[in-house]
Amino acid sequence: MDFNYSEEQQMLADSVRRFVQQDYDFDSRRQVVDGEDFFSRAHWQTFAELGWLMVPFAEEDGGLGGNAVDLLPVMEEFGKGMVVEPFLPCAVLAGGLLAECGSDTQKAELLPALVEGRLQLAFAFAEPQGRFNLADIDCRATRDGDHYRLNGHKSVVLNGGAAEQLVVAARTGGDRCDREGISLFLVDVESEGVTRRRYKNVDGHGAADIWLRDVRVAEAARLGEEGKALPAIEKMIDRATLAVCAEAVGAMDSALEKTLEYTRTRKQFGRPIASFQALQHRMAEMFIECEQARSMLLMAATQLDANGGVAPRAVSAAKSRIGRAARAVGQEAVQLHGGIGVTDELDVAHLFKRLTAVQYLFGSTNFHTARFMH
Amino acid sequence: METSFNEGELAFRDQVRAFLHDALPADIQRKTLRGLHLEKEDYVRWQKILYRQGWAAVNWPVEYGGTGWNATQKAIWADECARAGAPEVLPFGMKMVAPVIYSYGSEEQKQRFLPDILASNVWWCQGYSEPNAGSDLASLKTTAVRDGDHYIVNGTKTWTTLAQFADWIFCLVRTGGPEVKNQQAISFLLVDMKSPGITVSPIHTLDGYPEVNEVHFNNVRVPVENRIGEEGRGWTYAKVLLTHERTGIARVPQTRRRLEAARELAAETGDGGPTLLENPAFAQKLAETEIELLALEYTELRTLAAVSTGQAPGPESSILKIKGTEVAQQVDELHVEIAGYYGMPFVPEQFSDGFDGEHIGPGDAAASWLRYFNNRKASIYGGSNEIQKNIICKAVLGLGG
């Protein structure tokens, strides 16, 4: 049994860590988040040049291998550094669907551009009425000769503001919540009938609500078979869920480390507050949460790789447990920092916000506990 | 990263399964699976079977009769034993005193004591805690005063598990005077329970069973040759072994077996309408417990994997103690809820061998409450969970004070 990263994976982690240390301190990050795109195009180019955008893909798709475990070292370090560049929505999720469902022609056209950092993608799946149910798709794609016409409203599309192409989940058949009848389409954001409302999320990540009104999409822009997309969507959302779990584990480690550092230096009643047992035990519990979370992450990643990327119960168990840990560690980090913890100027407060978002991203803790049960 | 069993490990698992299938006596298995008290005879009979197979002392070095298994094999063994309903080997001789003897004892002591522990000929108990030395164990007051080639031992040990059956007791005693720092004043003594001046008085735990005892020492003469290692080093010996003997402390396979039993019972139990398993509040509690157990299983595997590559199991193993006991106690509570009213009757005799009266309540419902009461001990013994958090703070997180 061996839970260590391979030499390659370790090098990847080191390279992301160096980037965060050199180019992504808290103030630099703030400028990135406040910028027009809500992320840095220059950083994105760096990601491409360092080969990080190849990590989610198999070798035949121009990637580095694309195992689930390979995502962990990158996402953990992104989590520690609170990196907002759209690696997860663009490369892991939308890129993953393209690799999973796309034809050779579609892949040849788009994957090299993505991996080289020239193409921004987003996956538009969630809808206002559907919450976390991936089958609750009301957006319709109706046949119109050798085209489709798309109508619907997609909510909180991660990287939806910066994306040039969208992967859209739409219904070509069946009713809301049917497992059959969901198809995927590549939609150019410049197409007539696409409107976007771009915004920043609480965690600094960019997103958009997107409306499609009679958007004409060529049949050749459909990804995969008509009406059969749900299993691929579930597979890629599970993979993205694992990635966000890894990000959370990194963010939690960072929150604990910063809390330890703060309580060792902050003095009240004439001594460091870290000397008070009431606080020590809370930090011990944070540490236990971090370790239990990491165990679940490794469990889910190895289960995914052992089962061809399909291990829904393992992923949901991990998301449920890591969600609980993210809540506990995030809230405790703020509490132990006292007043400064609830101010915008403290990095820990931003870790807390991201740790809150990851509890709900791709399904809340309760949602995944229920999915694990069934 | 590699977490699945290889061919050799799978073959080992099959060998273990076949052995357990053939060798485990049905009456002992029945008691273990039902969570009932085992008699001394049950423990000894099983341990002697293991001894004849050469598998009694899983963790010992091979030269003293250990198995030579690696960490993965040990994990497989523990898992299969729990699955099969084999009783746990009592830790006091095999896991507690024997490692002290083979690590720090003299050659003569090794030859005198280890073979009888290995063969389960001698029953040991542990004399650490005292009425006024619990979490602060180093403040213990039992004295051992030198008198020629003997020590004269006076004091009281408590929470001594199953001392009523014991032939020998291993003790931490104070050999240094008040001027010596606590930790350097303590020595490790082996004492024959038949020595004049020892009396044992039972303590009944919440389930009504005399599981623990007080052991009183009144001018008990102990030969100096029964001291392990140097005088004043006993604390060090005991402590080193505490961090090194943590295999199985998480009790994952045992808890998993009880969790599965809870799921099966919950599917047959209901409040008139849907079963407990269909009750969302119960089902959620069950699922959360199962998820926590899964996390614990991997935390333990990570620790084992680190050990097998030569890293010492650090104070991180305190997590295994804390989470292992918490999750076991959660499972106990699931069983308490499943039992409902029939957890309430206090008729422990109906779970004893040879009971032929009228059985109250279905199955082992009444035993599950007793088990719940009994197992509140788990978060208290072996260094309470609060002490474990202190260890994490000091040794892992670098928080002083």
Side-chain angles (χ1 to χ4, degrees):
Chain A
M1 234 173 302
D2 177 16
F3 288 94
N4 295 313
Y5 288 144
S6 68
E7 206 173 309
E8 267 185 352
Q9 289 160 342
Q10 196 53 56
M11 279 165 57
L12 208 53
D14 292 343
S15 124
V16 181
R17 194 177 310 124
R18 267 196 307 277
F19 163 79
V20 168
Q21 277 165 3
Q22 287 166 13
D23 300 312
Y24 222 81
D25 62 80
F26 187 50
D27 285 330
S28 315
R29 176 188 181 272
R30 191 188 288 278
Q31 284 171 24
V32 164
V33 168
D34 290 342
E36 198 195 341
D37 285 323
F38 310 127
F39 74 91
S40 156
R41 301 262 173 188
H43 287 335
W44 192 254
Q45 273 314 308
T46 307
F47 289 15
E49 281 155 26
L50 293 173
W52 302 347
L53 302 184
M54 297 161 75
V55 171
F57 300 104
E59 278 172 36
E60 63 265 28
D61 290 328
L64 292 178
N67 286 328
V69 173
D70 297 335
L71 296 170
L72 308 191
V74 179
M75 290 305 300
E76 271 179 54
E77 297 302 323
F78 282 168
K80 287 181 193 165
M82 289 188 281
V83 170
V84 295
E85 275 63 25
F87 180 81
L88 176 67
C90 176
V92 177
L93 196 48
L97 277 169
L98 186 56
E100 178 79 9
C101 305
S103 65
D104 290 346
T105 322
Q106 288 166 327
K107 289 206 255 185
E109 191 187 340
L110 297 174
L111 281 181
L114 190 159
V115 164
E116 287 160 25
R118 294 183 280 112
L119 174 67
Q120 287 292 334
L121 293 178
F123 177 37
F125 59 98
E127 298 182 7
Q129 82 290 345
R131 283 175 56 90
F132 307 129
N133 181 354
L134 296 171
D136 192 344
I137 302 283
D138 206 21
C139 178
R140 294 270 158 187
T142 40
R143 276 275 187 179
D144 181 10
D146 56 356
H147 279 71
Y148 291 90
R149 284 193 184 275
L150 268 58
N151 281 286
H153 175 189
K154 293 292 179 183
S155 52
V156 200
V157 179
L158 298 174
N159 202 36
E164 289 121 20
Q165 296 269 342
L166 303 171
V167 177
V168 176
R171 238 176 222 297
T172 43
D175 291 318
R176 262 183 66 185
C177 302
D178 283 352
R179 290 189 58 82
E180 293 289 319
I182 298 169
S183 306
L184 293 173
F185 299 94
L186 279 164
V187 177
D188 192 314
V189 295
E190 299 299 330
S191 312
E192 205 182 320
V194 176
T195 47
R196 293 193 279 182
R197 166 94 195 280
R198 312 170 56 201
Y199 47 80
K200 184 162 68 179
N201 284 343
V202 293
D203 51 22
H205 289 246
D209 265 40
I210 298 176
W211 289 265
L212 305 160
R213 291 192 188 91
D214 269 338
V215 180
R216 266 187 107 225
V217 177
E219 190 175 356
R222 197 187 65 230
L223 287 177
E225 243 185 290
E226 185 179 275
K228 304 274 181 211
L230 190 59
I233 294 173
E234 288 172 336
K235 184 177 172 186
M236 281 306 130
I237 291 283
D238 272 354
R239 190 173 156 88
T241 304
L242 177 81
V244 89
C245 283
E247 187 189 339
V249 165
M252 280 188 269
D253 280 357
S254 178
L256 173 60
E257 194 183 315
K258 286 175 196 296
T259 304
L260 291 168
E261 202 178 290
Y262 179 77
T263 58
R264 280 194 210 106
T265 44
R266 168 75 174 170
K267 283 191 176 154
Q268 289 288 279
F269 306 102
R271 50 190 183 133
I273 61 173
S275 65
F276 299 119
Q277 201 175 42
L279 271 53
Q280 289 184 346
H281 280 199
R282 296 173 78 152
M283 290 186 270
E285 279 156 24
M286 288 169 78
F287 170 72
I288 294 171
E289 288 299 294
C290 288
E291 291 302 311
Q292 291 286 81
R294 181 173 293 280
S295 294
M296 286 307 261
L297 177 66
L298 299 174
M299 182 279 298
T302 49
Q303 286 294 309
L304 277 175
D305 282 338
N307 295 286
V310 181
R313 269 194 109 226
V315 170
S316 280
K319 183 62 164 55
S320 166
R321 185 62 186 85
I322 291 170
R324 265 205 293 141
R327 174 174 178 271
V329 172
Q331 290 182 350
E332 288 291 82
V334 166
Q335 177 70 22
L336 293 176
H337 275 81
I340 190 82
V342 291
T343 67
D344 192 54
E345 64 197 77
L346 187 77
D347 48 5
V348 167
H350 293 264
L351 281 166
F352 170 55
K353 289 208 251 181
R354 182 60 180 160
L355 283 171
T356 304
V358 301
Q359 290 167 52
Y360 295 90
L361 194 49
F362 310 131
S364 66
T365 302
N366 282 334
F367 176 89
H368 279 285
T369 309
R371 186 173 179 240
F372 171 79
M373 281 154 59
H374 296 120
Chain B
M1 218 166 282
E2 180 52 64
T3 57
S4 40
F5 291 140
N6 63 32
E7 251 173 62
E9 287 158 352
L10 287 174
F12 174 76
R13 190 185 65 184
D14 292 342
Q15 184 195 359
V16 164
R17 275 188 189 167
F19 165 74
L20 288 169
H21 179 265
D22 296 341
L24 179 59
D27 59 321
I28 294 179
Q29 180 187 46
R30 187 182 56 85
K31 284 189 196 177
T32 312
L33 289 176
R34 292 172 65 195
L36 307 180
H37 281 292
L38 273 73
E39 306 297 326
K40 174 177 183 175
E41 183 276 329
D42 296 325
Y43 283 114
V44 172
R45 181 154 47 110
W46 175 237
Q47 287 178 196
K48 282 184 175 293
I49 293 171
L50 293 180
Y51 168 64
R52 287 192 290 274
Q53 175 74 6
W55 291 356
V58 166
N59 289 314
W60 294 19
V62 178
E63 55 186 304
Y64 304 119
T67 53
W69 291 340
N70 64 28
T72 308
Q73 288 173 306
K74 289 176 193 172
I76 290 172
W77 168 247
D79 203 34
E80 293 301 326
C81 282
R83 251 177 232 263
E88 286 166 68
V89 170
L90 280 176
F92 308 104
M94 213 69 86
K95 291 186 176 172
M96 292 176 171
V97 73
V100 178
I101 294 172
Y102 63 64
S103 304
Y104 304 108
S106 65
E107 206 45 52
E108 202 200 330
Q109 287 169 335
K110 291 179 197 174
Q111 284 172 18
R112 180 174 166 205
F113 293 108
L114 291 179
D116 279 338
I117 297 176
L118 190 65
S120 289
N121 292 332
V122 170
W123 185 292
W124 283 82
C125 64
Q126 180 199 48
Y128 281 11
S129 293
E130 296 181 6
N132 289 308
S135 287
D136 183 11
L137 184 59
S139 71
L140 58 89
K141 294 277 185 297
T142 297
T143 53
V145 177
R146 192 73 181 256
D147 177 24
D149 41 12
H150 281 75
Y151 287 106
I152 313 295
V153 178
N154 279 288
T156 298
K157 293 292 178 183
T158 194
W159 313 131
T160 314
T161 303
L162 303 179
Q164 64 267 39
F165 303 137
D167 305 303
W168 282 75
I169 183 168
F170 56 97
C171 294
L172 291 176
V173 294
R174 186 165 292 274
T175 43
E179 73 288 354
V180 186
K181 215 181 133 206
N182 267 352
Q183 279 85 342
Q184 281 137 33
I186 292 170
S187 299
F188 199 106
L189 280 190
L190 311 180
V191 184
D192 188 334
M193 287 291 280
K194 288 188 296 294
S195 313
I198 292 185
T199 48
V200 176
S201 43
I203 302 172
H204 289 78
T205 44
L206 283 179
D207 54 352
Y209 184 79
E211 185 170 271
V212 288
N213 301 270
E214 276 195 343
V215 180
H216 310 278
F217 295 80
N218 183 13
N219 289 322
V220 176
R221 293 180 68 81
V222 179
V224 169
E225 68 197 41
N226 287 9
R227 189 190 69 223
I228 298 286
E230 294 169 43
E231 197 173 275
R233 299 268 295 156
W235 182 259
T236 315
Y237 305 149
K239 214 175 146 185
V240 166
L241 282 148
L242 270 181
T243 52
H244 278 268
E245 278 301 316
R246 288 286 160 119
T247 336
I249 195 173
R251 303 178 54 80
V252 170
Q254 292 89 345
T255 303
R256 167 153 310 120
R257 194 186 70 213
R258 283 182 52 73
L259 184 91
E260 290 310 323
R263 187 200 312 285
E264 284 162 28
L265 286 169
E268 303 163 357
T269 311
D271 304 307
T275 67
L276 264 183
L277 202 57
E278 291 157 342
N279 171 325
F282 184 89
Q284 173 150 2
K285 238 190 302 181
L286 182 75
E288 284 171 356
T289 308
E290 188 179 353
I291 288 170
E292 196 64 47
L293 186 60
L294 191 58
L296 180 65
E297 180 187 355
Y298 272 76
T299 300
E300 187 177 40
L301 288 174
R302 287 168 56 205
T303 312
L304 288 173
V307 172
S308 68
T309 57
Q311 301 163 46
E316 289 89 346
S317 56
S318 290
I319 297 178
L320 302 179
K321 162 69 187 1
I322 295 170
K323 279 291 159 189
T325 54
E326 283 180 0
V327 109
Q329 290 175 340
Q330 282 167 28
V331 174
D332 292 335
E333 285 193 72
L334 293 173
H335 279 279
V336 164
E337 182 166 354
I338 291 166
Y341 281 133
Y342 273 119
M344 296 168 87
F346 182 64
V347 279
E349 65 275 11
Q350 71 184 6
F351 302 109
S352 306
D353 285 338
F355 175 79
D356 58 0
E358 191 187 347
H359 193 98
I360 307 289
D364 295 328
S368 66
W369 280 37
L370 299 182
R371 162 90 194 196
Y372 161 74
F373 289 131
N374 178 280
N375 204 37
R376 298 312 298 172
K377 71 189 174 191
S379 45
I380 300 166
Y381 65 43
S384 73
N385 287 13
E386 288 69 30
I387 290 294
Q388 302 299 330
K389 285 180 192 170
N390 287 351
I391 293 172
I392 289 174
C393 288
K394 235 190 190 146
V396 186
L397 303 181
L399 300 173

